[in-house]
Amino acid sequence: MVDIKQKVDFLARKFVPSHRFLRTQESTIDRSHILQTALNPASIKVLNWNIAKKSYHENWVRDFLIILEQYQPDLIFLQEFRLDIDAKNIVELVNMSWIFAPNFIDAHHQSYSGILTAAKISPLHKRAIITKHYEPIIKTPKVSLMAEYPLSHNPNSLLTVNSHLINFVNLHKFKTQLHELELALSTHQGPIIFSGDFNTWNRQRALLLYKVATRLGLMPVSFTPHHSKKIKRFLLSPPLDYIFYRGLKEHKTNARVLEHITSSDHKPLLAEFSYINT
């Protein structure tokens, strides 16, 4: 029987040239657009979506612009976003501030790949967290992006974490990334939104994620059964995509999964929160 590692190495040599996927020294790339000075604590609308590297596809652009117009999110968390190396701005986000955290450069397409957080305001602070371990075949890390935003008439700030958790590795490496994120989140005293594609395609991974969420006092957004079953899964696995929160009030009737969107194999998740300083 052929060893699994030998199979992976063979596929890597055959289909993925070693010079194509390059590690990047960039921590974050960002653009600021001052639309307002703080988030409205009475209504914070959130969009989370793994777009499967479709950011330059016509169908995705159309879907994204429709979502922006119809739901007007205040915070946007996108995973698997492509950004051209020479891009000066993102047309679809011309009226928002955005931060992009790359995890590698695709030399063939001359683009970065990574995660993007956008908001109607500029962040107070930002930080990219790169995994210590790498996914097989293309041998690239995963990245999470922390961004802190002011809340109108409140001394506390909102910490957001946009994450894409490591895949195709053993449970120890998955747990290592979660542990590093938990340490980063644990120092924040105010409200938190922890969102992304967590690659929780089996019970063990999902259990580790929920243990971290519980220790941090985070709750998952409550989707109705109809919406919940539309969230990306592998066969009968737990959901892959989540929006967790703490220190906020969820507007449960506004939580939805946009099942009609087909430009990515992941469906967009929408939620709305309010914050009352106590």
Side-chain angles (χ1 to χ4, degrees):
M1 182 178 291
V2 178
D3 182 74
I4 292 176
K5 185 178 184 303
Q6 290 177 330
K7 286 185 177 181
V8 170
D9 290 342
F10 171 76
L11 289 171
R13 292 192 300 270
K14 183 175 178 64
F15 297 110
V16 186
S18 60
H19 60 273
R20 175 172 174 179
F21 297 104
L22 309 174
R23 294 169 193 170
T24 173
Q25 298 303 311
E26 298 280 357
S27 176
T28 59
I29 302 166
D30 56 85
R31 298 289 183 273
S32 292
H33 180 90
I34 306 302
L35 185 65
Q36 57 193 59
T37 57
L39 291 171
N40 176 8
S43 175
I44 302 171
K45 298 176 183 177
V46 172
L47 165 67
N48 180 76
W49 191 12
N50 182 329
I51 67 170
K53 300 183 176 68
K54 298 293 182 66
S55 42
Y56 293 98
H57 291 220
E58 182 180 344
N59 289 344
W60 179 82
V61 171
R62 183 190 65 245
D63 285 344
F64 188 52
L65 290 174
I66 290 172
I67 293 170
L68 292 184
E69 181 179 0
Q70 183 171 353
Y71 297 101
Q72 300 182 6
D74 301 288
L75 293 168
I76 299 171
F77 307 113
L78 303 179
Q79 301 87 45
E80 292 196 29
F81 191 92
R82 281 180 52 208
L83 180 68
D84 282 349
I85 290 175
D86 59 355
K88 301 301 181 184
N89 213 323
I90 300 171
V91 174
E92 297 79 26
L93 296 172
V94 68
N95 292 321
M96 299 184 81
S97 294
W98 54 265
I99 317 160
F100 177 77
N103 59 324
F104 66 84
I105 296 173
D106 185 335
H108 176 71
H109 289 108
Q110 286 293 293
S111 64
Y112 295 101
S113 181
I115 58 178
L116 182 140
T117 297
K120 292 181 178 178
I121 60 173
S122 296
L124 299 168
H125 309 286
K126 58 184 184 295
R127 174 190 171 195
I129 303 176
I130 304 289
T131 58
K132 299 174 183 177
H133 300 109
Y134 301 93
E135 292 184 339
I137 301 182
I138 62 174
K139 300 185 184 304
T140 57
K142 275 290 192 283
V143 63
S144 297
L145 178 57
M146 302 177 65
E148 196 172 334
Y149 296 98
L151 293 163
S152 181
H153 306 299
N154 282 284
N156 291 325
S157 60
L158 171 65
L159 177 64
T160 70
V161 185
N162 181 1
S163 286
H164 197 179
L165 265 63
I166 196 165
N167 210 359
F168 312 117
V169 297
N170 62 41
L171 200 61
H172 169 72
K173 293 178 180 178
F174 177 83
K175 187 176 182 179
T176 297
Q177 183 185 9
L178 266 181
H179 178 66
E180 188 168 10
L181 291 171
E182 182 178 1
L183 288 177
L185 284 161
S186 65
T187 62
H188 185 72
Q189 299 302 311
I192 292 174
I193 296 175
F194 185 24
S195 187
D197 176 356
F198 293 88
N199 273 316
T200 42
W201 43 260
N202 66 21
R203 185 177 179 276
Q204 291 86 352
R205 283 174 166 243
L207 184 60
L208 285 174
L209 174 62
Y210 269 87
K211 284 182 177 180
V212 167
T214 299
R215 288 195 293 268
L216 291 169
L218 296 164
M219 293 287 293
V221 165
S222 301
F223 295 101
T224 66
H226 171 79
H227 283 281
S228 181
K229 69 181 182 182
K230 302 299 181 182
I231 300 174
K232 175 73 174 180
R233 288 172 166 81
F234 285 118
L235 298 177
L236 299 177
S237 80
L240 306 188
D241 306 319
Y242 295 87
I243 302 173
F244 290 96
Y245 66 96
R246 184 187 79 187
L248 300 165
K249 179 181 178 182
E250 180 190 347
H251 298 194
K252 295 183 184 296
T253 57
N254 292 335
R256 65 191 66 202
V257 179
L258 302 184
E259 59 185 286
H260 62 284
I261 297 295
T262 59
S263 53
S264 168
D265 61 339
H266 291 249
K267 304 299 183 184
L269 310 186
L270 289 167
E272 184 177 359
F273 304 98
S274 58
Y275 173 68
I276 300 174
N277 184 26
T278 56

